[in-house]
Amino acid sequence: MKRVSILGATGSIGQNTLDLVQRDRSAFQVVALTGGRNIAQLAQDAIACDAEIAVTAHDSLLDDLRAALRGTDIEAAAGATALEEAAARDADWVMSAIVGFAGLAPGLAALRTGATLALANKESLVAAGQLMMGTARRAGARILPVDSEHSGIFQALVGEDAVAVQRIIITASGGAFRDWPLDQLIHATPDEAATHPNWDMGQRITIDSASMFNKAMEMIETREFFGVSPEQIEVLIHPESLVHAMVHYVDGAMMAHMGPHDMRHAIGYALNWPERRDLPVAPLDLARVGQLTFEAPDPERFPALRLARDVMEARGLMGAVFNAAKERALDHFIAGKIGFMQMNTIVEEVLARLEGHDKIAERPLTLDTTARADNLARMYVDSVAKEQDG
């Protein structure tokens, strides 16, 4: 029986993970579940899977969680320290699905135990990829990707020699504005950016899709996870979003990973690795799909991809700066304080200031310095946004 913990259990990735775990209760024992403000869901899931402990990130909600778990033997805890302690509990496999920078410390705590970390929290690799991978090596732990693109790359590399890889291609839907006239993007509203042409997602991730900041993050993840050079990483617009990634080898062969729009595939692959097991996902009907289309991204429309290359070249703490600046610029756009394309210019300005004036790329990469870089970048975004508004 595999002992599993799910960090971020009440989000979509966490709920899909629980769905797979609950389908085969004889194979999995749930150790810890963590969540945010959705106490009812967290408690309900903890009871349903007989978890050892349930943790909310918010100290003020501890009494509510205890009340919801009354009459059970499930422990209740709250706060950042409790999250890390839950992540460090004895488990074979830990899902890291906490959203944002907050997922970094619990993910590192899980790795230090030597557990397998299924990584859905892309901010961890972007902000501190070298720290994550180094911690895994020292502890004898393994990180398995859960993003559909990186799971696809991982699967396309099975049985292959990494030195034979010529390039890695990740695909992007193109987001809400892939067909908009370029000169209209400066007038795009948050509501328009949050309307995806293919599927219904949360507001922030959908806007990140429209700006391609999500794909910029995935480029950096690819660099850190697979150890390839920035020149080997490419992005293609693929509106059908059925081919998740491709690996091109030196002999001209290209391995493509295809799959339906169902995150349970990537989650299930990581959950059952190195085996493949039946999953409740619909098979692709290629005859019905009919055709697959690809095109190169327009660098003027998607400057975030260029910024990602700058970050990959600099490495160190610049990933943390990029992630924080992107998140804070998005806050300003959603609040109506800046325009859609200003997110790019503000992030670029913050990267330049922190790399040039503060020499942040030269500082050592630790959890503490990463947190400081994150805070500093957010402050710089506020300052630059105010300057541009003035």
Side-chain angles (χ1 to χ4, degrees):
M1 181 176 287
K2 184 180 290 186
R3 289 171 58 83
V4 304
S5 291
I6 304 172
L7 313 179
T10 55
S12 61
I13 295 294
Q15 289 293 292
N16 277 315
T17 305
L18 280 166
D19 174 67
L20 296 178
V21 168
Q22 292 288 74
R23 288 171 184 268
D24 192 358
R25 290 293 303 275
S26 64
F28 304 106
Q29 179 180 348
V30 176
V31 177
L33 297 183
T34 79
R37 296 188 178 280
N38 193 346
I39 298 300
Q41 186 68 61
L42 178 61
Q44 175 183 313
D45 291 334
I47 294 169
C49 64
D50 194 24
E52 295 177 9
I53 185 171
V55 181
T56 171
H58 304 284
D59 292 285
S60 61
L61 297 178
L62 178 57
D63 288 343
D64 292 342
L65 181 59
R66 284 174 172 161
L69 294 173
R70 188 172 293 123
T72 75
D73 294 326
I74 301 169
E75 295 178 52
T81 300
L83 287 178
E84 291 187 48
E85 291 174 350
R89 288 208 171 198
D90 179 29
D92 304 302
W93 186 94
V94 179
M95 167 58 76
S96 175
I98 297 173
V99 175
F101 186 79
L104 176 58
L108 286 169
L111 287 175
R112 292 189 197 103
T113 71
T116 293
L117 186 71
L119 189 62
N121 172 268
K122 65 181 59 192
E123 292 83 2
S124 293
L125 280 185
V126 173
Q130 292 165 279
L131 181 60
M132 290 285 291
M133 301 305 289
T135 300
R137 283 193 299 272
R138 289 189 294 274
R142 178 179 291 275
I143 304 176
L144 297 176
V146 174
D147 269 356
S148 57
E149 293 81 2
H150 301 97
S151 178
I153 297 168
F154 187 81
Q155 294 181 55
L157 288 169
V158 171
E160 301 289 348
D161 190 340
V163 300
V165 174
Q166 187 171 84
R167 59 186 175 136
I168 290 176
I169 302 167
I170 55 177
T171 61
S173 68
F177 303 138
R178 66 188 179 207
D179 299 320
W180 273 43
L182 189 59
D183 60 0
Q184 293 299 308
L185 291 182
I186 60 173
H187 305 298
T189 68
D191 286 344
E192 290 169 332
T195 304
H196 198 280
N198 290 0
W199 50 76
D200 183 23
M201 303 186 294
Q203 180 192 41
R204 297 181 72 88
I205 184 61
T206 306
I207 297 175
D208 278 349
S209 175
S211 66
M212 207 75 89
F213 268 113
N214 72 321
K215 207 55 52 177
M217 299 271 283
E218 289 169 10
M219 291 171 67
I220 300 170
E221 281 186 275
T222 302
R223 165 76 179 92
E224 298 298 337
F225 193 95
F226 298 102
V228 293
S229 67
E231 295 77 20
Q232 290 176 282
I233 302 169
E234 298 181 16
V235 174
L236 281 179
I237 304 296
H238 171 49
E240 295 84 4
S241 299
L242 295 175
V243 177
H244 302 134
M246 293 170 273
V247 178
H248 184 204
Y249 293 93
V250 292
D251 62 356
M254 185 176 288
M255 304 296 181
H257 179 273
M258 301 178 65
H261 303 150
D262 193 328
M263 281 304 299
R264 288 178 298 179
H265 173 80
I267 295 168
Y269 185 81
L271 182 62
N272 297 307
W273 183 88
E275 301 176 10
R276 286 189 184 270
R277 296 185 181 176
D278 288 341
L279 295 173
V281 298
L284 283 181
D285 185 343
L286 293 179
R288 185 174 182 179
V289 171
Q291 65 179 11
L292 302 173
T293 56
F294 304 90
E295 63 181 79
D298 180 354
E300 290 188 66
R301 185 182 297 271
F302 304 118
L305 303 182
R306 171 178 54 80
L307 298 180
R309 295 196 179 280
D310 294 340
V311 172
M312 287 191 287
E313 291 289 349
R315 301 194 78 188
L317 290 168
M318 293 307 292
V321 172
F322 180 77
N323 174 67
K326 183 274 297 184
E327 286 190 1
R328 189 60 181 148
L330 178 57
D331 291 339
H332 283 278
F333 173 63
I334 291 173
K337 297 178 180 179
I338 63 173
F340 179 75
M341 295 303 288
Q342 276 184 281
M343 288 191 289
N344 296 287
T345 60
I346 288 174
V347 171
E348 184 168 16
E349 176 66 20
V350 171
L351 287 170
R353 289 191 186 187
L354 282 171
E355 185 175 24
H357 180 268
D358 291 271
K359 305 294 183 185
I360 202 164
E362 300 174 11
R363 300 182 187 181
L365 180 62
T366 66
L367 181 58
D368 183 56
T369 58
T370 301
R372 291 180 184 178
D374 180 273
N375 289 331
L376 192 58
R378 293 173 193 273
M379 292 170 54
Y380 268 58
V381 168
D382 292 345
S383 176
V384 174
K386 186 175 181 180
E387 290 172 11
Q388 293 194 6
D389 185 54

